[in-house]
Amino acid sequence: MSKKLVILGAGGYANTVKDVAEQLEYDVIAMLDDRFADRPLDSFTKYIADDTEFIPAFGNNELRLSWCDKITNAGGRLATVVHPTAYVSPTSHVGEGVVVLPKSVINTDVAVERGCIINLGAIVDHGCVIEQGCHICLGAIVKGENRIAQLGKIEAGEIVQLRQYPVNK
């Protein structure tokens, strides 16, 4: 039996999440967006059920994290969506509401907190903490023992050097 998934958002990133979720055999039962009169975002509560999970699929870090809170505060459960070609070390933790896209790497002893995006081909090396609501963009590399501050964004192709602990961008 497949799990049901409600995606909040209907833009390019939401369609990417839908694609990955369907590969993971989720039954995507709705995509909600305020652009749809019959399926606005605030209608999410009617989908709350034991067999249904939610994923806020917005590229905007603040919006995505605030929807994680709205969903859980209303009694909904957040999905964690990890593409099968991604490598996630068994010693790492990937939180709820996180999407890990194809060919990305989450190495040893990494913590990826709720509501993050680990985008295509991104690498998060050993001992890092990726705080809530961050986006590690396409092909970005976060070298070992770094902490990316809540709502931080590491741009496509950017390299965060070992132990740099950058401030929120």
Side-chain angles (χ1 to χ4, degrees):
M1 181 172 113
S2 64
K3 293 186 269 186
K4 295 177 184 174
L5 183 67
V6 174
I7 298 172
L8 282 76
Y13 174 56
N15 286 316
T16 298
V17 172
K18 180 179 186 283
D19 177 37
V20 172
E22 288 173 341
Q23 291 175 51
L24 296 169
E25 299 185 359
Y26 273 98
D27 178 13
V28 178
I29 60 172
M31 290 182 77
L32 309 178
D33 195 285
D34 287 342
R35 294 176 290 172
F36 306 142
D38 61 333
R39 290 177 282 137
L41 291 169
D42 284 335
S43 68
F44 81 95
T45 56
K46 75 179 187 179
Y47 296 96
I48 294 174
D50 289 343
D51 65 345
T52 303
E53 296 178 340
F54 296 82
I55 195 84
F58 306 107
N60 179 298
N61 291 349
E62 288 182 34
L63 182 62
R64 188 175 61 258
L65 191 55
S66 72
W67 272 100
C68 284
D69 292 337
K70 287 179 189 179
I71 291 163
T72 57
N73 289 341
R77 290 180 310 130
L78 294 171
T80 299
V81 177
V82 179
H83 191 273
T85 65
Y87 171 74
V88 178
S89 168
T91 64
S92 291
H93 170 75
V94 177
E96 60 186 14
V98 171
V99 175
V100 181
L101 291 175
K103 305 292 186 185
S104 54
V105 174
I106 298 173
N107 209 358
T108 307
D109 297 328
V110 169
V112 179
E113 296 178 358
R114 79 196 299 247
C116 290
I117 301 169
I118 308 299
N119 216 318
L120 297 160
I123 299 171
V124 181
D125 201 6
H126 63 86
C128 290
V129 176
I130 309 300
E131 293 183 3
Q132 294 188 91
C134 287
H135 183 175
I136 310 302
C137 292
L138 302 148
I141 299 171
V142 180
K143 290 186 175 183
E145 301 172 21
N146 273 296
R147 176 179 290 271
I148 306 303
Q150 182 169 309
L151 303 174
K153 185 173 186 180
I154 306 302
E155 287 295 345
E158 185 175 348
I159 299 173
V160 178
Q161 295 300 324
L162 182 71
R163 297 186 195 105
Q164 292 302 298
Y165 304 99
V167 295
N168 200 4
K169 291 187 173 198

